[in-house]
Amino acid sequence: MTVATRPAVSSDLPAIPMRDIAPWAILAALLAVLLVYFVGAEQGAWSVFAGTDVHEFVHDARHLLGFPCH
């Protein structure tokens, strides 16, 4: 009985310095906060845009994420 062996896998992944990751992480965090604002708080007391266009655009996402809107 012959046991098959796997070829050696090289894990020579380069290390990415935090200095290179930090700007992208900050951008992703800001976009996430902006998204949560528009889904959860826009069209409320502190709304940026007048009317109900933003509210209707993200209406289903509000309910999916548990934000009350009615």
XYZ file of all heavy atoms in Angstrom:
532
model
N 0.848 -1.169 0.000
C 0.000 0.000 0.000
C 0.897 1.236 0.000
O 1.718 1.411 0.880
C -0.899 -0.031 1.227
C -1.805 1.105 1.323
S -2.825 0.831 2.783
C -4.239 1.634 2.314
N 0.677 2.097 -0.980
C 1.493 3.294 -1.114
C 0.688 4.498 -0.643
O -0.465 4.671 -1.012
C 1.902 3.511 -2.586
O 2.529 2.329 -3.058
C 2.821 4.686 -2.713
N 1.329 5.318 0.176
C 0.685 6.525 0.675
C 1.150 7.694 -0.181
O 2.340 7.926 -0.342
C 1.042 6.774 2.157
C 0.426 8.066 2.631
C 0.604 5.600 3.001
N 0.185 8.412 -0.745
C 0.522 9.569 -1.569
C 0.930 10.724 -0.669
O 0.319 10.983 0.360
C -0.668 9.974 -2.422
N 1.958 11.397 -1.044
C 2.408 12.559 -0.277
C 2.098 13.820 -1.054
O 2.109 13.823 -2.288
C 3.921 12.492 0.002
O 4.615 12.444 -1.251
C 4.257 11.263 0.830
N 1.827 14.845 -0.338
C 1.543 16.145 -0.955
C 2.852 16.862 -1.238
O 3.803 16.764 -0.461
C 0.709 17.014 -0.023
C -0.679 16.522 0.160
C -1.440 17.476 1.015
N -2.833 17.095 1.091
C -3.716 17.681 1.845
N -3.357 18.686 2.603
N -4.961 17.280 1.855
N 2.878 17.609 -2.311
C 4.078 18.400 -2.565
C 4.206 19.505 -1.519
O 3.208 19.987 -0.978
C 3.859 18.978 -3.960
C 2.390 18.899 -4.181
C 1.891 17.744 -3.357
N 5.407 19.881 -1.226
C 5.645 20.942 -0.246
C 5.055 22.252 -0.749
O 5.213 22.616 -1.908
C 7.134 21.098 0.010
N 4.344 22.945 0.125
C 3.731 24.228 -0.219
C 4.602 25.335 0.351
O 4.914 25.346 1.537
C 2.301 24.331 0.357
C 1.707 25.685 0.050
C 1.442 23.221 -0.208
N 4.969 26.238 -0.497
C 5.804 27.351 -0.054
C 4.914 28.484 0.449
O 3.960 28.882 -0.202
C 6.660 27.849 -1.219
O 7.380 28.985 -0.825
N 5.196 28.981 1.619
C 4.429 30.095 2.170
C 5.314 31.333 2.253
O 5.534 31.904 3.305
C 3.876 29.743 3.544
O 4.944 29.490 4.429
N 5.816 31.713 1.118
C 6.687 32.879 1.043
C 5.883 34.141 0.741
O 6.138 34.843 -0.220
C 7.757 32.682 -0.034
C 8.689 31.546 0.297
O 8.840 31.246 1.499
O 9.253 30.954 -0.636
N 4.885 34.410 1.570
C 4.086 35.611 1.388
C 4.831 36.799 1.965
O 5.361 36.727 3.074
C 2.735 35.460 2.081
C 1.853 34.336 1.564
C 0.615 34.214 2.414
C 1.479 34.581 0.122
N 4.866 37.870 1.234
C 5.571 39.044 1.767
C 4.776 39.696 2.904
O 3.545 39.716 2.882
C 5.659 39.985 0.563
C 4.508 39.587 -0.291
C 4.327 38.099 -0.087
N 5.490 40.187 3.866
C 4.847 40.905 4.965
C 4.454 42.298 4.476
O 5.218 42.963 3.787
C 5.792 41.010 6.143
N 3.235 42.724 4.816
C 2.767 44.050 4.422
C 2.879 44.953 5.639
O 2.253 44.696 6.660
C 1.317 44.007 3.927
C 1.206 43.062 2.738
C 0.833 45.401 3.550
C -0.208 42.831 2.273
N 3.666 46.012 5.540
C 3.825 46.907 6.690
C 2.518 47.632 7.032
O 1.711 47.940 6.158
C 4.870 47.916 6.231
C 5.466 47.371 4.983
C 4.485 46.404 4.414
N 2.325 47.890 8.311
C 1.132 48.619 8.760
C 1.048 49.993 8.118
O -0.037 50.525 7.911
C 1.141 48.759 10.282
C 0.753 47.494 11.002
S -0.899 46.935 10.586
C -1.879 48.210 11.323
N 2.174 50.565 7.806
C 2.214 51.880 7.166
C 1.486 51.848 5.821
O 0.898 52.838 5.405
C 3.670 52.292 6.978
C 3.874 53.662 6.406
C 5.337 53.998 6.357
N 5.905 53.763 7.689
C 7.189 53.724 7.954
N 8.069 53.897 7.009
N 7.631 53.516 9.177
N 1.526 50.712 5.136
C 0.836 50.588 3.853
C -0.637 50.236 4.025
O -1.463 50.556 3.173
C 1.505 49.507 2.997
C 2.906 49.904 2.568
O 3.230 51.104 2.623
O 3.674 49.001 2.185
N -0.981 49.564 5.100
C -2.356 49.144 5.329
C -3.196 50.251 5.968
O -4.383 50.371 5.696
C -2.386 47.886 6.220
C -1.746 46.720 5.489
C -3.797 47.539 6.637
C -1.623 45.476 6.324
N -2.593 51.069 6.809
C -3.324 52.065 7.601
C -4.210 52.996 6.767
O -5.382 53.185 7.115
C -2.365 52.861 8.467
N -3.736 53.594 5.677
C -4.629 54.485 4.915
C -5.861 53.769 4.369
O -6.964 54.319 4.369
C -3.755 55.000 3.769
C -2.364 54.787 4.210
C -2.376 53.613 5.130
N -5.688 52.538 3.914
C -6.824 51.779 3.390
C -7.780 51.378 4.495
O -8.996 51.357 4.303
C -6.333 50.549 2.624
C -5.587 50.934 1.389
C -4.235 50.897 1.196
C -6.142 51.470 0.194
N -3.926 51.360 -0.054
C -5.075 51.722 -0.690
C -7.431 51.752 -0.215
C -5.286 52.245 -1.963
C -7.625 52.272 -1.484
C -6.561 52.514 -2.340
N -7.254 51.044 5.656
C -8.104 50.696 6.793
C -8.914 51.904 7.253
O -10.103 51.788 7.574
C -7.252 50.148 7.941
N -8.289 53.072 7.277
C -8.990 54.300 7.667
C -10.079 54.636 6.640
O -11.202 54.988 7.006
C -7.999 55.465 7.833
C -7.108 55.202 9.051
C -8.716 56.797 7.959
C -5.938 56.144 9.170
N -9.765 54.497 5.366
C -10.756 54.756 4.320
C -11.937 53.792 4.443
O -13.097 54.209 4.350
C -10.120 54.621 2.940
C -11.074 54.791 1.756
C -11.638 56.205 1.717
C -10.380 54.436 0.461
N -11.665 52.514 4.669
C -12.735 51.529 4.820
C -13.595 51.846 6.036
O -14.827 51.725 5.984
C -12.144 50.132 4.937
N -12.972 52.264 7.139
C -13.732 52.605 8.349
C -14.619 53.826 8.110
O -15.787 53.849 8.529
C -12.785 52.849 9.516
N -14.099 54.839 7.441
C -14.898 56.030 7.147
C -16.073 55.710 6.225
O -17.189 56.205 6.434
C -14.023 57.120 6.529
C -13.038 57.790 7.481
C -12.135 58.743 6.718
C -13.774 58.521 8.583
N -15.840 54.876 5.220
C -16.931 54.492 4.331
C -17.986 53.673 5.066
O -19.185 53.831 4.822
C -16.384 53.711 3.139
C -15.592 54.524 2.125
C -15.019 53.618 1.053
C -16.431 55.621 1.512
N -17.552 52.825 5.989
C -18.509 52.039 6.776
C -19.349 52.940 7.666
O -20.569 52.759 7.777
C -17.767 50.995 7.609
N -18.721 53.924 8.300
C -19.464 54.864 9.152
C -20.446 55.673 8.309
O -21.592 55.892 8.709
C -18.494 55.779 9.923
C -19.212 56.949 10.565
C -17.739 54.980 10.967
N -20.012 56.103 7.138
C -20.889 56.854 6.241
C -22.071 55.999 5.794
O -23.214 56.473 5.753
C -20.100 57.343 5.027
C -20.803 58.296 4.083
C -21.114 59.605 4.798
C -19.944 58.553 2.872
N -21.824 54.744 5.487
C -22.896 53.837 5.091
C -23.896 53.634 6.223
O -25.110 53.694 6.004
C -22.315 52.501 4.652
C -23.335 51.449 4.244
C -24.020 51.855 2.946
C -22.674 50.105 4.108
N -23.402 53.418 7.434
C -24.299 53.234 8.578
C -25.110 54.504 8.817
O -26.301 54.449 9.137
C -23.521 52.818 9.846
C -24.381 52.903 11.085
C -22.983 51.414 9.675
N -24.491 55.678 8.638
C -25.235 56.934 8.794
C -26.383 57.010 7.791
O -27.523 57.295 8.150
C -24.325 58.144 8.623
C -25.125 59.417 8.484
C -25.708 59.997 9.598
C -25.342 60.003 7.249
C -26.486 61.139 9.485
C -26.112 61.136 7.126
C -26.679 61.705 8.245
O -27.449 62.818 8.121
N -26.088 56.764 6.510
C -27.127 56.896 5.497
C -28.217 55.857 5.650
O -29.384 56.129 5.393
C -26.540 56.855 4.087
C -26.059 58.193 3.632
C -24.714 58.448 3.499
C -26.955 59.208 3.369
C -24.267 59.688 3.097
C -26.521 60.455 2.968
C -25.174 60.695 2.838
N -27.863 54.656 6.082
C -28.880 53.627 6.264
C -29.684 53.879 7.528
O -30.893 53.708 7.561
C -28.243 52.223 6.289
C -29.246 51.181 6.712
C -27.673 51.883 4.927
N -29.018 54.297 8.598
C -29.693 54.378 9.884
C -30.213 55.726 10.316
O -31.184 55.798 11.052
N -29.600 56.808 9.877
C -29.964 58.096 10.455
C -30.420 59.148 9.450
O -31.031 60.125 9.843
C -28.776 58.658 11.236
N -30.115 58.985 8.190
C -30.493 60.002 7.204
C -32.001 60.127 7.134
O -32.725 59.150 7.284
C -29.924 59.639 5.834
C -30.263 60.620 4.752
C -29.753 62.020 4.985
O -28.824 62.235 5.760
O -30.310 62.934 4.379
N -32.483 61.318 6.900
C -33.891 61.680 6.880
C -34.465 61.805 8.280
O -35.670 61.815 8.460
C -34.739 60.696 6.058
C -34.323 60.549 4.633
C -34.280 61.824 3.853
O -33.216 62.162 3.359
N -35.355 62.532 3.729
N -33.615 61.884 9.259
C -34.062 62.092 10.625
C -33.870 63.548 11.006
O -33.895 64.439 10.166
N -33.633 63.799 12.287
C -33.472 65.166 12.773
C -32.223 65.835 12.200
O -32.178 67.045 12.058
C -33.403 65.162 14.301
N -31.194 65.052 11.890
C -29.929 65.603 11.394
C -29.719 65.280 9.926
O -28.610 65.020 9.492
C -28.773 65.045 12.202
C -28.846 65.398 13.635
C -29.362 64.644 14.644
C -28.419 66.611 14.235
N -29.285 65.306 15.819
C -28.703 66.520 15.610
C -27.837 67.771 13.752
C -28.422 67.552 16.495
C -27.551 68.783 14.633
C -27.840 68.678 15.980
N -30.749 65.300 9.119
C -30.619 64.877 7.729
C -29.790 65.861 6.910
O -29.817 67.061 7.125
C -31.991 64.702 7.095
O -32.652 65.932 7.000
N -29.039 65.319 5.981
C -28.202 66.115 5.088
C -29.000 66.534 3.863
O -28.896 67.658 3.389
C -26.953 65.307 4.659
C -26.142 66.049 3.627
C -26.101 64.975 5.876
N -29.827 65.625 3.342
C -30.601 65.888 2.140
C -32.074 66.042 2.496
O -32.607 65.291 3.303
C -30.443 64.749 1.134
C -29.025 64.524 0.712
C -28.315 63.433 1.174
C -28.398 65.402 -0.142
C -27.010 63.220 0.795
C -27.093 65.215 -0.527
C -26.389 64.118 -0.058
N -32.733 66.998 1.868
C -34.162 67.191 2.092
C -34.953 66.179 1.266
O -34.454 65.651 0.278
C -34.559 68.609 1.695
N -36.166 65.923 1.675
C -37.008 64.986 0.941
C -36.841 63.569 1.451
O -36.187 63.313 2.455
N -37.464 62.631 0.738
C -37.447 61.231 1.179
C -36.698 60.317 0.223
O -36.821 59.100 0.306
C -38.889 60.719 1.330
O -39.533 60.810 0.067
C -39.648 61.496 2.383
N -35.914 60.881 -0.682
C -35.225 60.050 -1.677
C -34.246 59.072 -1.035
O -34.238 57.885 -1.374
C -34.486 60.923 -2.684
C -35.435 61.769 -3.508
O -36.604 61.361 -3.649
O -35.010 62.829 -3.997
N -33.422 59.548 -0.121
C -32.446 58.670 0.526
C -33.167 57.633 1.375
O -32.810 56.455 1.379
C -31.445 59.482 1.377
C -30.519 58.571 2.143
C -30.644 60.419 0.496
N -34.200 58.049 2.077
C -34.964 57.124 2.912
C -35.528 55.975 2.073
O -35.413 54.809 2.448
C -36.101 57.849 3.618
C -36.999 56.931 4.389
N -36.746 56.598 5.688
C -38.113 56.261 4.025
C -37.687 55.762 6.100
N -38.526 55.545 5.106
N -36.124 56.295 0.961
C -36.714 55.257 0.118
C -35.647 54.379 -0.520
O -35.852 53.183 -0.708
C -37.599 55.889 -0.963
C -38.817 56.587 -0.415
C -39.713 55.668 0.403
O -39.808 54.474 0.073
O -40.319 56.146 1.370
N -34.488 54.945 -0.829
C -33.417 54.174 -1.452
C -32.868 53.114 -0.507
O -32.527 52.014 -0.920
C -32.298 55.118 -1.922
C -31.208 54.421 -2.662
C -31.427 53.941 -3.940
C -29.967 54.245 -2.086
C -30.418 53.294 -4.635
C -28.959 53.600 -2.775
C -29.181 53.130 -4.056
N -32.768 53.425 0.784
C -32.192 52.482 1.753
C -33.244 51.891 2.681
O -32.918 51.325 3.709
C -31.062 53.152 2.575
C -29.911 53.557 1.700
C -31.574 54.332 3.363
N -34.507 51.989 2.302
C -35.599 51.547 3.171
C -35.487 50.082 3.577
O -35.590 49.741 4.756
C -36.931 51.807 2.473
C -38.102 51.521 3.325
N -38.806 50.351 3.244
C -38.687 52.252 4.316
C -39.782 50.371 4.122
N -39.737 51.500 4.794
N -35.279 49.193 2.626
C -35.200 47.770 2.948
C -33.947 47.460 3.773
O -33.982 46.589 4.643
C -35.223 46.930 1.680
C -36.561 47.013 0.980
O -37.562 47.307 1.670
O -36.608 46.791 -0.245
N -32.857 48.146 3.514
C -31.640 47.929 4.299
C -31.850 48.349 5.744
O -31.321 47.723 6.661
C -30.476 48.706 3.687
N -32.641 49.390 5.979
C -32.941 49.797 7.357
C -33.629 48.674 8.107
O -33.266 48.348 9.228
C -33.860 51.016 7.375
C -33.190 52.284 7.021
C -34.214 53.403 6.992
N -33.592 54.559 6.399
C -33.555 55.740 6.980
N -34.138 55.935 8.124
N -32.952 56.731 6.397
N -34.628 48.087 7.495
C -35.345 47.001 8.162
C -34.459 45.773 8.331
O -34.515 45.097 9.351
C -36.606 46.643 7.383
C -37.648 47.705 7.452
N -38.234 48.109 8.626
C -38.196 48.465 6.475
C -39.108 49.058 8.382
N -39.108 49.301 7.082
N -33.647 45.471 7.333
C -32.752 44.326 7.410
C -31.764 44.470 8.565
O -31.461 43.509 9.269
C -31.992 44.164 6.093
C -31.035 42.988 6.015
C -31.822 41.680 6.026
C -30.193 43.076 4.766
N -31.264 45.681 8.786
C -30.301 45.928 9.863
C -30.961 46.238 11.202
O -30.278 46.439 12.199
C -29.367 47.073 9.471
C -28.455 46.769 8.290
C -27.700 48.013 7.874
C -27.504 45.637 8.614
N -32.284 46.298 11.241
C -32.981 46.494 12.508
C -33.220 47.937 12.891
O -33.573 48.226 14.032
N -33.047 48.875 11.960
C -33.325 50.279 12.258
C -34.810 50.535 12.073
O -35.360 50.220 11.023
C -32.551 51.204 11.310
C -31.095 51.279 11.578
C -30.207 50.568 10.798
C -30.605 52.070 12.597
C -28.845 50.642 11.026
C -29.244 52.146 12.831
C -28.370 51.432 12.055
N -35.472 51.133 13.043
C -36.875 51.502 12.823
C -36.954 52.742 11.940
O -36.115 53.633 12.038
C -37.374 51.802 14.237
C -36.160 52.217 14.986
C -35.017 51.440 14.380
N -37.925 52.796 11.076
C -38.046 53.983 10.233
C -39.490 54.431 10.075
O -39.759 55.351 9.322
C -37.386 53.770 8.878
S -38.143 52.517 7.877
N -40.430 53.814 10.744
C -41.822 54.245 10.626
C -42.308 54.636 12.009
O -42.071 53.984 12.959
C -42.725 53.122 10.130
C -42.344 52.606 8.799
N -43.185 52.686 7.722
C -41.226 52.014 8.338
C -42.613 52.137 6.694
N -41.428 51.726 7.031
